[in-house]
Amino acid sequence: MSARETLAARQISRDDSLVGRSIVRPNIRRHTEGGGHFVDDIKLPRMVHVAFLRSPHAHARIVSIDSNAAARMPGVIHVATGKDIAAISKPYVGVLRHMEGLRSPPQYPMAVDVARWQGEPVVAVVAESRAQAEDAIQRVDVGWEVLPAAVNMEKALDPSEPVIHESYGSNLCYRQIVDTGGVDEAFAQAHLVVEDTVNIGRQTGVPLEPRGLIAAYNAADRELTVYHSYQSAHLMQGTLATCFSMEERQIRVIVPDVGGGFGIKIHTYGDEVAACALAIILNRPVKFIADRFESFQSDIHARDHRVRGKLALDREGNILALEIDDLTGIGPYSMHPRSSSIELLEVVLFTGGNYKHKLYRARGTVVFQNKNCMCQYRGVGHPVAFAAMEHLVDQAALKLGIDPAEMRRRNLISDDAYPYTSPSKTRFEILSHQKCLTQLLKLMEYDDLRKEQAKLRKRGIHYGIGLASFFELTNPSPLIYGMGGARIGTVESCTIRLDAGGQIVVHTAICELGQGAETIVAQIAADAVGVELSSVKVISGVDTLSGPTGSGAWASRQTGTVGEAVLQAGLTLRKNILDVAAVVLQTSEEKLDIINGSVVMKDGKRGGNVSLLELARIAYYRGNELPSTCEPLFMATHQFRIKDYDFVFSNGAAGCLLEVDPETGFIDLLKIWCVDDCGRAINPKLVDEQIRGGMAQGIGPALLEHCIYDDQGQLLTCTMADYLLPMSLDVPDIEVHHVQTLTKTSALGAKGIGEAGASAPPGAIMNAVNDALRPFNAKVTRQPITPEVVLEALGKISQVSSVSRQA
């Protein structure tokens, strides 16, 4: 029996007890050709498509499901309910054990008995095409018992509100408290106390490429292969292994270039796990691509915070104490594996962290609600923390008659104060807030801008100038997730080699989302080894079977961690090359250098040069020319992790110039400036564009983007016509400059840059709008700052309706 026939026979004779339905087996035809040899023609299963019937209700019990009519529809291969999927997939729990008190119940890939948000998958239909699957969904009849929904996070803990998970007795998910002590005394003795409440609306990421995967199961070897648009291949490998009670070696995840992620694609989604489960059930490749409508309903949402803040100040404007109370609603579950409470935790830990006050008290509350789940998205809690704090700083400056720039000069931590530990016990290695602010004001021509603003106000033109200081968590250590029990690594690996053709080949687990990560890797490798950029080949994509282990793209970490692994591996390879070259050239390694792909004498003498191509050919093909004591090692591997700090922080300062029309409420962004310090800028042009892209994603939620729900938990913004993204005309000229303060946690000295741009605009824009509204004694404290919000602040319209304010 041939190998192919043996494989087919093994597939046919496999244990069907696990799946028991809709099995498609290979057909084997045997015929003779030529000299009587047997030729096997195995018809392999064709790929099928899955679509999901999603709950139309925010909270409802599933009374019955009748899928008989759907199963008879053309092209339909299989129909599965939540119970069917639960039979082979364990639930997952989005709880980190080091976050004391955090709770969330087990979550199955699809709703089993109760649907807890509009958009939760309930029934899966597998068909020969996506269109056929969607048509069949219309024939599935689900009997619902609609239940009261807990929608408003402000009321979620009221005894009268419906409890989403009855065993908990309330909708409380998590609480976090920080208290240095002495706060009440500081407020009692303060010359000025400033209080306000800032509301940040719910938003989502909207990557150009939606979520999607293709899963294929090899029943003979019990191996699952998943091609995934995802940000962390090894994370998904561990998640699927746990769900299906398989070894990680039995799960292969392949992540090619990804069309945008922004944090949307680092979470566990039930529809994606269900698609993999269906591949196992059917033993056929299953494809799932979320369309844009269901993406709005099922891709994680973010932000949605209410922050009450309070500042105590002396007569000179020095901040004495800060107090905040943050509330957020995260949907019915804490997302696996990162936990939906991390965003609030960052708000609690980071608000005011760039200012030098010593007294701080913060209370954070996370509640469950019948809306789509929330979790980490670009910037995570930073935009919320900085919007709230920068607003308070500006309000204090206004009441004290101090210019906002001078207010920050007096209170930002001095650049020579590092290393520094904030009141929330966050450790900062080295930052440059004062230097960034000084450079920003020079870049903006701040004093002249203020003079121009005053002239224009006399003509009825209302310009606003807003500032914001910020910092960004990057290059995290294992303490952020690993200690909480999540399979989220922080070690990065690189294998680099000189191949037989003289090319430098670099293999990492870097995830290319369009941010230019592969270019950065190539630059670092070229510099480390000593070759032209064109001589470096970076193997693209991540494959958990054949590639190095890594953690993927999240928390602005790839340049700082993967880059350091590449640098160290490249330096090791360089030394190995020089060792062999010294033997060939009959000299010492100390006298040699590698420049532009050739080994040369450092002293410039002729006759001592050899190309890397020639060295490679000697090593790979003509080893007889080398003495037995010379062992060419033209491959090097290095692993790297951050050791000395929990995180490496970058920082910066941003300024905004805009015009507000008090008659219409329209806001016209005129210019944004940003000075950022991300340590060593490996590729300044890519850094600039990361900042600009982040700024665009910060402009969106500040002025436009909003996931709006009605009082019954129905999402009203499910299309691009309703959910407004910033277009090219909405994004002004963004001028970017840099300060470079190198981190000592790595030889590379690079900090992260991916999320910095998204963190500053909400604060800078809100301050600029309020600056423009000062002649009217008006202010806005809610985002997005739509024309209606501006007109409401001016008293020209009544308060915006409860539906449009829901987030």
Side-chain angles (χ1 to χ4, degrees):
M1 183 179 291
S2 72
R4 294 187 70 181
E5 189 173 2
T6 301
L7 174 60
R10 288 172 64 190
Q11 288 177 320
I12 292 173
S13 62
R14 76 187 192 282
D15 179 13
D16 289 348
S17 60
L18 176 66
V19 296
R21 59 179 85 81
S22 303
I23 304 301
V24 178
R25 299 185 175 92
N27 297 317
I28 302 177
R29 292 205 320 267
R30 304 178 66 204
H31 62 273
T32 60
E33 279 186 359
H37 298 289
F38 285 99
V39 177
D40 301 331
D41 181 9
I42 302 180
K43 183 180 179 183
L44 297 176
R46 292 199 313 171
M47 183 175 72
V48 293
H49 300 256
V50 61
F52 293 92
L53 183 153
R54 299 177 181 273
S55 173
H57 306 290
H59 198 194
R61 182 170 286 107
I62 302 170
V63 177
S64 63
I65 298 176
D66 183 354
S67 61
N68 291 326
R72 294 192 296 267
M73 291 284 287
V76 171
I77 294 166
H78 187 72
V79 180
T81 66
K83 291 181 179 178
D84 296 328
I85 301 301
I88 69 165
S89 175
K90 294 178 182 177
Y92 36 88
V93 182
V95 169
L96 299 171
R97 57 174 176 249
H98 65 302
M99 296 178 67
E100 185 177 351
L102 173 62
R103 63 182 184 177
S104 185
Q107 182 180 0
Y108 284 94
M110 296 165 57
V112 176
D113 298 310
V114 176
R116 292 182 170 87
W117 84 88
Q118 180 213 13
E120 184 173 8
V122 176
V123 178
V125 175
V126 181
E128 293 176 357
S129 71
R130 169 76 182 218
Q132 290 173 324
E134 290 182 350
D135 287 344
I137 282 174
Q138 306 304 316
R139 302 298 298 275
V140 177
D141 184 15
V142 180
W144 299 99
E145 178 190 347
V146 179
L147 303 173
V151 178
N152 189 329
M153 66 183 184
E154 297 271 7
K155 299 179 180 178
L157 297 181
D158 291 352
S160 59
E161 281 292 287
V163 176
I164 297 173
H165 305 291
E166 294 180 0
S167 62
Y168 286 169
S170 78
N171 290 322
L172 178 66
C173 172
Y174 179 64
R175 274 206 174 103
Q176 175 70 29
I177 295 175
V178 172
D179 193 347
T180 63
V183 173
D184 289 333
E185 293 81 358
F187 279 109
Q189 299 169 13
H191 169 71
L192 174 69
V193 174
V194 175
E195 300 183 64
D196 217 336
T197 299
V198 173
N199 289 276
I200 306 295
R202 180 180 275 241
Q203 64 176 109
T204 188
V206 200
L208 183 63
E209 177 189 51
R211 292 186 299 109
L213 60 80
I214 297 174
Y217 185 63
N218 181 343
D221 295 322
R222 199 165 181 259
E223 293 178 347
L224 179 67
T225 300
V226 182
Y227 293 83
H228 203 182
S229 178
Y230 203 65
Q231 295 177 226
S232 180
H234 290 86
L235 168 61
M236 182 51 62
Q237 179 189 39
T239 296
L240 294 176
T242 300
C243 286
F244 300 132
S245 301
M246 298 168 70
E247 300 292 331
E248 287 192 23
R249 60 180 173 81
Q250 296 174 295
I251 308 287
R252 180 184 185 187
V253 179
I254 300 169
V255 175
D257 290 352
V258 176
F262 314 121
I264 296 297
K265 300 174 182 176
I266 53 171
H267 310 289
T268 302
Y269 291 95
D271 46 21
E272 295 181 348
V273 176
C276 294
L278 288 164
I280 297 173
I281 291 172
L282 302 175
N283 193 30
R284 294 183 69 166
V286 175
K287 180 177 182 179
F288 166 66
I289 302 291
D291 65 30
R292 193 60 69 185
F293 185 87
E294 61 187 337
S295 290
F296 279 115
Q297 292 184 323
S298 60
D299 289 4
I300 62 106
H301 293 174
R303 315 298 191 240
D304 199 9
H305 287 252
R306 185 273 295 140
V307 185
R308 294 191 182 116
K310 189 175 177 183
L311 275 184
L313 303 104
D314 65 16
R315 291 181 181 274
E316 287 71 41
N318 297 303
I319 299 173
L320 305 175
L322 168 66
E323 181 177 14
I324 68 164
D325 185 304
D326 184 25
L327 171 68
T328 185
I330 61 164
Y333 299 96
S334 175
M335 283 291 285
H336 178 270
R338 283 173 155 76
S339 159
S340 300
S341 298
I342 291 293
E343 187 172 86
L344 173 128
L345 187 63
E346 288 193 358
V347 175
V348 168
L349 295 181
F350 296 162
T351 300
N354 42 347
Y355 292 95
K356 59 186 179 183
H357 61 281
K358 298 296 183 181
L359 305 179
Y360 180 52
R361 181 164 61 209
R363 175 187 176 91
T365 304
V366 181
V367 297
F368 295 117
Q369 55 186 172
N370 292 117
K371 297 180 180 179
N372 186 21
C373 295
M374 294 219 312
C375 210
Q376 289 93 317
Y377 162 67
R378 192 175 192 178
V380 197
H382 297 62
V384 179
F386 302 139
M389 184 63 186
E390 296 304 298
H391 172 70
L392 289 172
V393 170
D394 262 30
Q395 294 301 303
L398 176 65
K399 293 189 176 183
L400 289 169
I402 300 174
D403 184 88
E406 177 60 27
M407 187 74 174
R408 287 168 174 79
R409 277 199 194 100
R410 297 181 188 183
N411 287 284
L412 287 170
I413 299 168
S414 299
D415 295 348
D416 60 0
Y418 295 93
Y420 184 89
T421 301
S422 76
S424 67
K425 307 301 182 186
T426 303
R427 295 194 306 145
F428 298 97
E429 178 204 7
I430 183 166
L431 298 177
S432 56
H433 288 298
Q434 293 285 353
K435 191 172 184 179
C436 286
L437 176 63
T438 299
Q439 188 164 325
L440 174 71
L441 298 177
K442 183 178 180 181
L443 189 66
M444 294 174 67
E445 298 180 343
Y446 182 80
D447 292 337
D448 291 340
L449 208 57
R450 284 292 183 192
K451 293 175 183 177
E452 180 69 13
Q453 178 190 36
K455 292 179 182 178
L456 290 172
R457 277 184 177 169
K458 294 177 181 179
R459 295 167 47 193
I461 299 173
H462 298 281
Y463 273 20
I465 302 168
L467 302 176
S469 175
F470 65 91
F471 56 86
E472 177 193 6
L473 180 157
T474 79
N475 302 3
S477 77
L479 292 180
I480 187 170
Y481 289 121
M483 68 179 296
R487 292 187 183 183
I488 301 173
T490 50
V491 173
E492 288 300 332
S493 311
C494 172
T495 295
I496 185 170
R497 72 178 189 269
L498 172 64
D499 70 10
Q503 186 177 45
I504 302 300
V505 180
V506 187
H507 203 175
T508 71
I510 204 160
C511 184
E512 181 59 77
L513 307 172
Q515 75 277 53
E518 291 178 7
T519 300
I520 297 293
V521 166
Q523 285 185 257
I524 295 171
D527 285 351
V529 178
V531 300
E532 296 285 350
L533 190 62
S534 59
S535 297
V536 178
K537 168 65 177 176
V538 178
I539 298 177
S540 61
V542 183
D543 186 335
T544 58
L545 176 65
S546 61
T549 298
S551 304
W554 55 277
S556 305
R557 57 181 299 281
Q558 290 198 125
T559 297
T561 55
V562 181
E564 180 69 11
V566 173
L567 175 65
Q568 297 302 330
L571 293 174
T572 300
L573 177 61
R574 177 191 181 90
K575 183 181 185 307
N576 294 347
I577 291 171
L578 291 175
D579 287 343
V580 176
V583 173
V584 172
L585 298 174
Q586 298 182 10
T587 186
S588 64
E589 181 263 338
E590 292 80 8
K591 295 181 180 181
L592 300 175
D593 198 1
I594 302 177
I595 300 176
N596 296 335
S598 292
V599 178
V600 300
M601 300 295 291
K602 288 182 178 179
D603 58 13
K605 291 183 179 180
R606 297 183 179 181
N609 298 356
V610 61
S611 70
L612 296 192
L613 174 60
E614 180 63 15
L615 279 178
R617 287 176 173 171
I618 292 172
Y620 287 110
Y621 304 133
R622 308 196 309 269
N624 58 295
E625 298 179 13
L626 298 173
S628 59
T629 56
C630 179
E631 192 67 49
L633 298 175
F634 286 173
M635 179 179 289
T637 296
H638 188 85
Q639 290 186 315
F640 174 75
R641 65 179 173 87
I642 297 293
K643 304 179 186 68
D644 300 324
Y645 283 83
D646 298 344
F647 318 102
V648 175
F649 287 94
S650 63
N651 70 275
C656 173
L657 176 67
L658 54 77
E659 180 183 354
V660 175
D661 184 340
E663 297 303 318
T664 65
F666 277 85
I667 298 168
D668 185 11
L669 287 181
L670 301 174
K671 189 161 185 176
I672 289 178
W673 298 264
C674 182
V675 177
D676 185 86
D677 183 351
C678 64
R680 190 186 306 279
I682 307 300
N683 187 317
K685 184 172 289 188
L686 283 177
V687 172
D688 286 356
E689 297 317 308
Q690 278 288 301
I691 289 289
R692 290 190 176 99
M695 287 282 179
Q697 283 192 284
I699 290 169
L703 299 177
L704 299 166
E705 298 180 49
H706 199 188
C707 295
I708 300 174
Y709 284 84
D710 68 14
D711 293 337
Q712 284 72 49
Q714 295 289 311
L715 182 63
L716 305 179
T717 49
C718 290
T719 71
M720 293 290 195
D722 306 308
Y723 187 90
L724 303 181
L725 291 171
M727 308 292 281
S728 59
L729 294 179
D730 300 311
V731 180
D733 177 42
I734 300 173
E735 189 171 349
V736 181
H737 282 233
H738 304 284
V739 170
Q740 295 193 45
T741 307
L742 308 190
T743 174
K744 296 179 181 179
T745 59
S746 68
L748 189 64
K751 306 173 185 180
I753 190 62
E755 297 167 273
S759 298
I765 289 173
M766 184 160 64
N767 284 343
V769 171
N770 286 330
D771 186 46
L773 295 179
R774 274 176 194 150
F776 304 97
N777 195 29
K779 66 179 178 180
V780 298
T781 58
R782 187 170 72 254
Q783 297 185 15
I785 309 170
T786 62
E788 290 85 356
V789 172
V790 173
L791 293 177
E792 177 192 321
L794 290 168
K796 296 189 175 184
I797 62 172
S798 59
Q799 193 174 60
V800 178
S801 71
S802 62
V803 169
S804 64
R805 294 188 62 178
Q806 279 287 346

